[in-house]
């Protein structure tokens, strides 16, 4: 029986013509609920595809590199292989060919399919396989993660002993690093396992780690903001997001739906962003998945990357304290200009690749319009959305004046009582594991080698540039 589900929206069909979905709708999806088995079937096909591609076009040029690109943070240089998602500058992210609105339609939902937002479990299946999972397949992932969620005692002890002035992201990254005592990949490697089987151990570690992250994150939250009270036990009948909310101490049904959406949309943003690229790079040295992902999390903790969601709320709070209820365009413009004149960036605006409003921003805005249209902070965010792009265009520096994902996420979280903004990036990190780990499985399945680009000093680049004249 084919598990492919069709979406009969003409807009969806139209966008597929512009940006065709990779393999979905062409190949029959598997009906097995065992993700590892499905991957085992898919991997030889992909390996053959890559061998054939390289045989036919291996020495073809696919791009040019200028000195500006090299000194400009390698922007636009094609140099990475990431199967899970592709980011279009105008349209935003597509997970295995599917846009965010499409994923919201086609992926299985929580509450036995009756919920509103996609289950991150289904998204993980999609990222791993390129196939849209059935409800049964997504539920099998929930079950699997519930079984693997327990933490070793030494990690719990370590988290409980961190001082309260250690940033939650540092605690998160340290917790993940310490989980590498559990790595099946590291053990198999030291036992001399063959390269062809690497992906299987990376898969096992990925499943274990994703299962454990909500518990690690919840212990950090409760230690810092709930007097160190114990996290609740995992409910084996519930999904990953439900259990995460429960461990954090939230039982509001809308907050749980928000969490499903949040954990889905923050998962993956192709391969070049700092967290994904770092995980991939460290993984290429055959560091185990825990060490690789912890490295990625240290990158996510930077204010130009994931920490921007914390920075946005800090900034919004200052704006709100100053303007009160006066959201006039004049006041908003003044605030944006004053921030720029003080030498700071406007957090939550701009992007290295995107050139339009981030669809992750739009879907959070739509959630807010449905659930919290009168929230004062949401109104402030909307008022800033009206003026900020124009001010950034007038200033003339940012290549993208539009908001990104981080401009909106904190507003939704604070509405449901999660006001601890220092914590927000940890939730981003829990979600990012879905993208980084599905990619890492494919890195090892495709046998990608250790990453080692060439660097030169400036005099050498001068010589290279002169000889290229
Ligand atoms: N506010 C003010 N200035 C900005 C700006 C913003 N939001 N975005 C870009 N600029 C400035 C840059 O600082 C740079 O100035 P400089 O020439 O003096 O150094 C100039 O515009 C050109 O930058 P760019 O090419 O448009 O951006 P980039 O690719 O170098 O950087 C990003 C991208 C996201 C780091 C940048 O837009 C930024 O700092 N935004 C604010 C922080 C933020 O929201 N980060 C989250 C991004 C999403 C994510 O990873 N979670």
């Amino acid at each position: 029986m084919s598990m492919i589900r069709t979406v009969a929206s003409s807009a969806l069909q139209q966008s597929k013509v512009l940006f065709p979905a990779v393999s979905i709708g062409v190949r029959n999806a598997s009906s097995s609920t065992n993700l590892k088995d499905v991957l085992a079937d898919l991997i030889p096909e992909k390996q053959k595809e890559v061998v054939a591609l390289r045989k036919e076009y291996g020495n073809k040029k696919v791009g040019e590199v200028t000195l500006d690109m090299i000194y400009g943070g390698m922007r636009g240089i094609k140099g990475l292989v990431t199967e899970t998602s592709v980011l279009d500058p105008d349209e935003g992210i597509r997970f295995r060919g599917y846009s965010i609105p499409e994923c919201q339609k086609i992926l299985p939902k929580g509450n036995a399919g009756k919920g509103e937002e996609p289950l991150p479990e289904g998204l993980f299946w999609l990222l791993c396989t390129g196939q849209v999972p059935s409800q049964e397949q997504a539920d099998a992932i929930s079950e699997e993660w519930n079984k693997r969620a327990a933490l070793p005692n030494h990690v719990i002890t370590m988290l409980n002993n961190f001082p309260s002035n250690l940033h939650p992201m540092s605690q998160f990254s340290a917790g993940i690093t310490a989980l590498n005592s559990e790595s099946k990949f590291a053990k198999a490697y030291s036992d001399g396992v063959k390269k062809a089987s690497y992906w299987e151990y990376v898969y096992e570690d990925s499943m274990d780690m994703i299962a454990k992250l909500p518990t690690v994150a919840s212990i950090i939250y409760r230690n810092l903001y709930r007097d160190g009270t114990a996290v609740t036990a995992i409910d084996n009948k519930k999904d990953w997001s439900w259990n995460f909310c429960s461990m954090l101490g939230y039982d509001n049904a809308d907050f749980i739906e928000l969490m499903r959406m949040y954990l889905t949309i923050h998962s993956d943003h192709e391969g070049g962003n700092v967290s994904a690229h770092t995980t991939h790079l460290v993984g290429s040295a055959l560091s185990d998945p825990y060490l690789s992902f912890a490295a990625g999390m240290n990158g996510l903790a930077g204010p130009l990357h994931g920490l921007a969601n914390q920075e946005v709320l800090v900034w919004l709070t200052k704006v709100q304290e100053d303007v009160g209820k006066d959201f006039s365009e004049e006041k908003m413009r003044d605030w944006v200009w004053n921030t720029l004149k003080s030498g700071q960036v406007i957090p939550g605006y701009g992007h290295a690749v995107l050139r339009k409003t981030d669809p992750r921003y739009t879907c959070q805005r739509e959630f807010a319009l449905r659930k919290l249209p009168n929230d004062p902070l949401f109104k402030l965010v909307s008022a800033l959305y009206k003026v900020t792009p124009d001010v950034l265009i007038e200033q003339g520096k940012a290549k993208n004046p539009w908001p990104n994902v981080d401009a909106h996420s904190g507003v939704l979280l604070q509405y449901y009582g999660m006001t601890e903004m220092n914590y927000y990036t940890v939730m981003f990190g829990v979600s990012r594991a879905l993208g980084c780990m599905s990619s890492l499985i494919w890195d090892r399945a495709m046998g990608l080698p250790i990453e080692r680009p060439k660097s030169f000093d400036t005099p050498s680049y001068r010589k290279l540039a002169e000889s290229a004249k």
Side-chain angles (χ1 to χ4, degrees), residues 75 273 300 303-308 312 340 344-353 355 358 360 392 395 397-400 404-406 428:
R75 218 60 94 250
N273 66 78
L300 193 75
L304 296 189
H305 191 19
L307 202 80
V312 167
L340 291 174
Q344 290 167 267
V345 295
I346 308 299
Y349 279 77
H351 199 272
V353 178
R355 293 296 175 257
D358 189 340
R360 301 172 298 175
L392 285 171
Q395 192 210 25
K397 275 171 73 175
K399 292 189 191 69
N400 175 35
N404 61 57
V405 64
D406 296 317
F428 193 155

Side-chain angles (χ1 to χ4, degrees), residues 124 145 205-214 240 433-434 437:
F124 182 68
W145 287 350
D205 279 357
S206 299
M207 292 293 276
D208 285 345
M209 187 177 75
I210 294 170
K212 293 175 196 313
L213 289 181
W240 192 57
L434 305 179
M437 289 303 104

Side-chain angles (χ1 to χ4, degrees), residues 42-55:
L42 293 172
I43 285 168
E45 283 176 43
K46 176 60 73 182
Q47 288 170 337
K48 272 190 224 144
E49 185 189 334
V50 175
V51 169
L53 178 75
R54 291 184 65 179
K55 195 167 169 214

